[in-house]
Amino acid sequence: MTITQLYYVLAVAEHQNFTKAAEKCFVTQPTLSMQIQKLEDQLDVQIFDRSKKPIELTEVGKKIVTQARNIVNESYRIQDIVDQQKGFIGGEFKLGIIPTIMPTLLPMFLKTFIKRHPKVKLKIEELTTEEIIARIKDGHLDAAIAATPLEDENIKERVLYFEPFVNYIPKNHKLYGKEKIDSTDLEIEDMLLLEDGHCFRDGVINLCKVFKDHIDDKFQLESGSIETLIKLSNEGLGMTLLPYLHTLDIHEKEKENLHYFNDPPPAREVSIIYHKSELKMQIIEALQDTISGIIRGAIAFQDVKIISPLPK
Amino acid sequence: MTITQLYYVLAVAEHQNFTKAAEKCFVTQPTLSMQIQKLEDQLDVQIFDRSKKPIELTEVGKKIVTQARNIVNESYRIQDIVDQQKGFIGGEFKLGIIPTIMPTLLPMFLKTFIKRHPKVKLKIEELTTEEIIARIKDGHLDAAIAATPLEDENIKERVLYFEPFVNYIPKNHKLYGKEKIDSTDLEIEDMLLLEDGHCFRDGVINLCKVFKDHIDDKFQLESGSIETLIKLSNEGLGMTLLPYLHTLDIHEKEKENLHYFNDPPPAREVSIIYHKSELKMQIIEALQDTISGIIRGAIAFQDVKIISPLPK
DNA sequence: ATATTTTTATAACCTAAATTTATAAACATG
DNA sequence: CATGTTTATAAATTTAGGTTATAAAAATAT
């Protein structure tokens, strides 16, 4: 069994056609036929059902393809390791970003980064913290941007910036009259929260110092996006908290509803996180440099009180 | 880059010696020299520092080895998928067993297992829990039988049985007169223990609720086998604890020294443990079935109090 | 149906790569 | 400095991967 054979299997599985797959692999069709037959002989199992047109995978074939993809992808990482050693900044890079950071941060740094490092092919995916941690561990993500600290010994963190929370309080709310808010003013009962699974939700709950168990039944009003939260709040359904960067591009009229915290404001720590193996570290550092440089101009709070993003 | 080349790299990295590594791979030494050189040329990087004696990995080399191990292990899974599909239970299987389980459990299930699954080539090794965990993680063991729970997120456990502790109290001992022993009766000071590194030792220490640090100086009398422990105890050097299965085949005369615990008796949890990747799962399940079936007739305690095998 | 095109398998051949044997060079050790 | 050990190199051999040519099978068009 060779990596090449597995690669051929992937190509045929994808194109469902030996001839087209051969072209994609830059070899002739008999090469694929023979190599795949050889692999099937060695394993003594049919990977493809050639009676079906177009060709289909057998049941075992599907499992083999999944594993073959794994192996082929992992083999690419050997070259990545060498690139890193040589300080070569390029190649594919898979970055995860949590939903409450994505829409505000990405537009700020993406253009600058791809201009500065044109050889890097960024693939960005929006994922929850939980998904991000799993994918960093299994190697499907090279790095991610998330709220920290995560206290996971397999994952390293480099702080990019601290982002204070800002109160968004609609006019009918009892706290609206108060200019500056103290964290002790907050009551979890009339706070709009993101749906379960978002670490920003957990951060807010931690800020209110309520155990997660206690609030579950009291709250059904939950949303997946901060934009929706603002709209629900405008409808008088309660106050909410916004990450600072989100307050920069809300409508003029809605800005009247922003109430800042007393110093030091509660804040979330936003970091670039990656596997402790430090694969593709040169690209991670390039991202860190670009983002930190840009954020330095946008956020200028001195002292903040960091809130944990972890549940409970 | 081929899987074979990566496998050669792993062998040299492990043995720190081309000649020995070549033997383990069943090829000649020049094969390794040339293939590894070729890989180094293609990647344009040194994997090994040949100036050091014995040979060492370079910094990149270490990272490459980690990834190579990944790839080679994942490649084994292809054959595993085929075996599972065919319901084939066979091939080499490396099983580790801790010393305090080996002599009693192995004779009970080995004959039945090899009769039931003649195509499996079992390679059994006696190892401490610590060694077992390391070897399951680096792929040198397929599974092991040990006291659990281990609380290691890379290792999965399936409980085989609960084995109560039984007091072995020589005639001169102050507790000899007591028919049934309570765990609060135990005093670590006159208890004979296995030498350091055995999880059964740690289990007993946990049962006596003493911190490990406190007893180190008080005790030099330590043995590596339970047989020796019994003999030392007969000499009047103190009482000891035996795992239940060990009490089944001691001499008639010595059985008088056995004193059972009050219900529920303290017990160790014995499990078959394996890597979370679940390679060769069909053989693991075959082992589990055989052992559980046999033990069901030998141990019939209802309620037990499980003692942790972990130190401290 | 039959011819034509498309697709996969097989055969013969070629080339490149993996491996072996033999040997040289480098290194450590007594 | 001689000796044993270890790694590298060279030449020869075997094996594996690849190509071209072609046959067989299947799908499509006539």
Side-chain angles (χ1 to χ4, degrees), chain A residues 2 4-5 8 27-28 30-31 34-35 38 53:
Chain A
T2 67
T4 309
Q5 284 172 345
Y8 291 165
V27 290
T28 58
T31 301
M34 292 171 92
Q35 287 305 315
K38 196 173 148 189
K53 303 284 158 166

Side-chain angles (χ1 to χ4, degrees), chain A residues 139-241:
Chain A
H140 283 82
L141 275 183
D142 296 305
I145 297 171
T148 50
L150 296 176
E151 291 164 22
D152 188 310
E153 64 169 8
N154 292 306
I155 289 178
K156 290 193 175 182
E157 307 172 353
R158 290 200 183 186
V159 177
L160 295 170
Y161 57 91
F162 299 101
E163 185 176 24
F165 295 131
V166 180
N167 296 277
Y168 186 86
I169 306 177
K171 306 228 159 37
N172 71 328
H173 196 276
K174 59 181 171 187
L175 283 177
Y176 186 79
K178 239 189 153 184
E179 177 75 20
K180 286 262 182 173
I181 306 294
D182 198 80
S183 64
T184 54
D185 296 334
L186 301 180
E187 287 172 13
I188 195 74
E189 283 76 15
D190 69 342
M191 187 95 63
L192 293 169
L193 295 172
L194 288 181
E195 63 194 19
D196 214 348
H198 289 265
C199 69
F200 189 68
R201 172 198 164 98
D202 294 314
V204 173
I205 292 171
N206 288 338
L207 176 58
C208 297
K209 284 162 190 141
V210 189
F211 287 108
K212 207 182 173 187
D213 298 347
H214 297 198
I215 60 141
D216 273 11
D217 4 344
K218 291 180 186 162
F219 260 75
Q220 290 89 332
L221 258 181
E222 294 177 350
S223 155
S225 91
I226 300 236
E227 315 310 321
T228 314
L229 236 47
I230 293 174
K231 283 173 190 152
L232 291 173
S233 182
N234 288 339
E235 296 294 320
L237 290 162
M239 65 169 288
T240 190
L241 291 181

Side-chain angles (χ1 to χ4, degrees), chain B residues 16-293:
Chain B
Q16 296 193 303
N17 179 312
F18 278 72
T19 314
K20 282 173 196 158
E23 281 171 30
K24 293 281 175 184
C25 295
F26 303 106
V27 290
T28 58
Q29 166 266 315
T31 300
L32 287 204
S33 284
M34 291 172 93
Q35 285 307 312
I36 289 177
Q37 270 182 53
K38 194 176 150 188
L39 181 61
E40 288 179 323
D41 286 353
Q42 280 175 357
L43 295 174
D44 194 26
V45 80
Q46 285 291 111
I47 297 171
F48 294 101
D49 181 348
R50 294 165 174 79
S51 69
K52 301 268 178 58
K53 302 284 155 162
I55 278 178
E56 275 180 25
L57 284 164
T58 60
E59 280 308 305
V60 220
K62 287 178 192 164
K63 292 176 187 167
I64 289 175
V65 161
T66 301
Q67 184 61 9
R69 187 169 295 124
N70 239 323
I71 294 168
V72 171
N73 285 339
E74 291 300 307
S75 77
Y76 292 149
R77 188 176 301 285
I78 297 273
Q79 184 61 56
D80 205 55
I81 288 167
V82 175
D83 287 349
Q84 289 202 25
Q85 172 72 15
K86 293 185 179 173
F88 171 76
I89 297 187
E92 192 177 287
F93 190 90
K94 298 199 196 92
L95 181 71
I97 309 186
I98 59 169
T100 55
I101 293 179
M102 184 84 144
T104 48
L105 184 65
L106 192 57
M108 296 179 83
F109 79 87
L110 188 59
K111 207 171 166 183
T112 308
F113 184 82
I114 60 181
K115 196 170 184 179
R116 201 177 287 176
H117 304 289
K119 288 180 188 159
V120 177
K121 283 181 190 160
L122 266 191
K123 297 205 168 180
I124 297 165
E125 223 180 327
E126 185 172 292
L127 297 163
T128 66
T129 303
E130 207 177 356
E131 291 168 328
I132 281 172
I133 291 172
R135 284 175 208 214
I136 285 181
K137 284 181 181 172
D138 74 12
H140 281 83
L141 277 183
D142 295 308
I145 296 171
T148 49
L150 297 176
E151 292 164 22
D152 189 310
E153 65 167 9
N154 292 306
I155 290 178
K156 289 193 176 181
E157 306 172 353
R158 289 199 185 187
V159 177
L160 296 170
Y161 56 92
F162 298 101
E163 185 176 23
F165 296 132
V166 180
N167 296 277
Y168 187 85
I169 306 178
K171 307 229 161 32
N172 70 329
H173 196 277
K174 60 181 172 186
L175 284 177
Y176 186 80
K178 235 185 155 186
E179 176 75 22
K180 286 263 183 173
I181 306 295
D182 199 81
S183 63
T184 53
D185 297 334
L186 301 180
E187 287 173 13
I188 194 75
E189 282 76 15
D190 68 342
M191 186 95 62
L192 293 168
L193 295 173
L194 288 181
E195 64 192 19
D196 213 349
H198 289 265
C199 70
F200 189 68
R201 172 197 165 96
D202 294 314
V204 173
I205 292 171
N206 288 337
L207 177 57
C208 296
K209 285 164 189 140
V210 189
F211 285 109
K212 205 182 173 186
D213 300 347
H214 297 201
I215 61 140
D216 273 12
D217 5 342
K218 289 179 187 162
F219 258 76
Q220 291 90 335
L221 260 181
E222 294 178 348
S223 156
S225 91
I226 299 230
E227 315 310 320
T228 315
L229 235 48
I230 294 173
K231 284 173 188 151
L232 290 175
S233 182
N234 288 339
E235 296 296 318
L237 290 163
M239 65 168 289
T240 191
L241 290 182
L242 305 180
Y244 174 74
L245 289 179
H246 274 266
T247 67
L248 297 181
D249 46 29
I250 65 173
H251 299 117
E252 264 321 301
K253 204 180 159 194
E254 291 174 333
K255 282 195 177 162
E256 296 163 9
N257 297 335
L258 295 177
H259 295 236
Y260 293 90
F261 276 101
N262 285 320
D263 284 337
R268 61 176 175 178
E269 181 183 85
V270 175
S271 301
I272 185 161
I273 64 174
Y274 48 92
H275 194 264
K276 64 171 177 193
S277 63
E278 304 198 347
L279 206 63
K280 303 199 190 183
M281 202 57 211
Q282 71 283 18
I283 300 184
I284 292 168
E285 281 175 351
L287 274 166
Q288 185 196 1
D289 290 348
T290 303
I291 298 173
S292 294

Side-chain angles (χ1 to χ4, degrees), chain A residues 97-110 126 161 163 226-227 243-250 268 270 294-295 298-299:
Chain A
I97 309 185
I98 58 169
T100 55
I101 293 180
M102 184 84 145
T104 47
L105 184 63
L106 192 59
M108 294 180 84
F109 79 86
L110 188 59
E126 185 172 292
Y161 57 91
E163 185 176 24
I226 300 236
E227 315 310 321
Y244 174 72
L245 289 178
H246 273 267
T247 67
L248 297 180
D249 47 29
I250 64 173
R268 61 175 175 179
V270 175
I294 280 171
I295 285 296
I299 302 188

Side-chain angles (χ1 to χ4, degrees), chain A residues 22-52:
Chain A
E23 281 170 30
K24 292 282 176 182
C25 295
F26 303 106
V27 290
T28 58
Q29 166 267 316
T31 301
L32 286 205
S33 284
M34 292 171 92
Q35 287 305 315
I36 288 177
Q37 269 182 54
K38 196 173 148 189
L39 181 62
E40 288 179 323
D41 286 352
Q42 281 175 357
L43 296 174
D44 192 28
V45 79
Q46 286 291 110
I47 297 171
F48 294 101
D49 181 348
R50 294 166 174 77
S51 71
K52 301 270 178 57

